[in-house]
Amino acid sequence: HTELATLFGVNATFSTEDKQSQPGTDDPENTQIRLSDGVTVFTPDALAPGVIINKLDYQMFAINGGMKYRGYSLEAEAFYRKLNNFRTNAPLAINNLVDKGLQVKLSSMLLPKTLQLYTNGSKIYGEYGDPWDAGIGANWWPFKQRGVRFNAEAIFLKDSPVGYSSVPYVVGANGWVFVTNLELSF
């Protein structure tokens, strides 16, 4: 973009969830509701010994923005998530859980339409921990079009709250993860 291009968004959602509506742990489209320590909220004893959550209300609000200018881009997002109205098998001492977080990505096209370097990071401020990650990576489009892309990335994880078969790390992971992939779109 030779002129500044921007994007701003606001998202909100509300739903009532139960453990039957949660996907399996190996589902590639996994969107399980997890605590900030990575434990699935419907796991027995997740919130208190002997307590099983049968249903809850899920509320999420997020804002995001981004800008691009002459090969540089900056993207950021912040969210607020509240879980409440717990329906359980036994009394629960808490009424709600609130997590907040943010993520930021900065990139630069070193060679137009060919080579991009980027760095990113995210942080969750949660009631069951404050996990974070930071990474650096590169994208290479050898044919100067989106059909073929090679990506290499190094990510440092601290108490990862996510992990399943579609990502190269596990819940609770700490330390470096190195990833490379080749993507073909047709």
Side-chain angles (χ1 to χ4, degrees):
H1 293 276
T2 57
E3 294 184 26
L4 181 65
T6 60
L7 170 71
F8 297 97
V10 176
N11 303 286
T13 187
F14 170 85
S15 64
T16 298
E17 299 287 336
D18 62 34
K19 60 183 164 186
Q20 278 73 34
S21 67
Q22 301 298 295
T25 57
D26 291 326
D27 187 334
E29 299 288 328
N30 190 331
T31 56
Q32 293 178 327
I33 299 174
R34 295 181 180 269
L35 303 174
S36 58
D37 64 0
V39 171
T40 305
V41 73
F42 293 104
T43 301
D45 305 325
L47 298 181
V51 176
I52 297 172
I53 307 295
N54 296 311
K55 273 189 176 178
L56 60 80
D57 290 343
Y58 172 93
Q59 299 150 69
M60 173 85 88
F61 178 76
I63 58 172
N64 61 68
M67 63 178 104
K68 288 184 175 185
Y69 180 68
R70 297 188 180 258
Y72 294 95
S73 73
L74 173 63
E75 303 167 41
E77 180 176 33
F79 77 88
Y80 173 92
R81 181 187 78 168
K82 182 178 179 180
L83 305 177
N84 68 345
N85 196 15
F86 301 108
R87 278 77 108 203
T88 64
N89 68 327
L92 186 61
I94 60 173
N95 295 324
N96 63 63
L97 291 172
V98 173
D99 295 319
K100 299 172 281 259
L102 57 98
Q103 62 181 4
V104 177
K105 182 175 184 177
L106 177 66
S107 71
S108 175
M109 292 298 293
L110 294 183
L111 299 172
K113 298 184 181 182
T114 306
L115 182 62
Q116 176 190 46
L117 291 182
Y118 64 87
T119 185
N120 55 28
S122 70
K123 172 80 173 156
I124 296 174
Y125 301 92
E127 296 196 33
Y128 285 82
D130 298 327
W132 61 271
D133 67 72
I136 187 167
N139 289 308
W140 175 47
W141 293 271
F143 304 111
K144 296 184 180 187
Q145 55 185 334
R146 292 182 176 243
V148 178
R149 176 178 77 126
F150 178 77
N151 171 261
E153 183 173 24
I155 310 164
F156 185 84
L157 303 169
K158 179 64 175 140
D159 302 326
S160 177
V162 296
Y164 45 93
S165 61
S166 295
V167 296
Y169 39 86
V170 296
V171 171
N174 286 292
W176 286 99
V177 176
F178 300 95
V179 182
T180 59
N181 62 69
L182 176 64
E183 295 178 11
L184 306 171
S185 301
F186 47 92

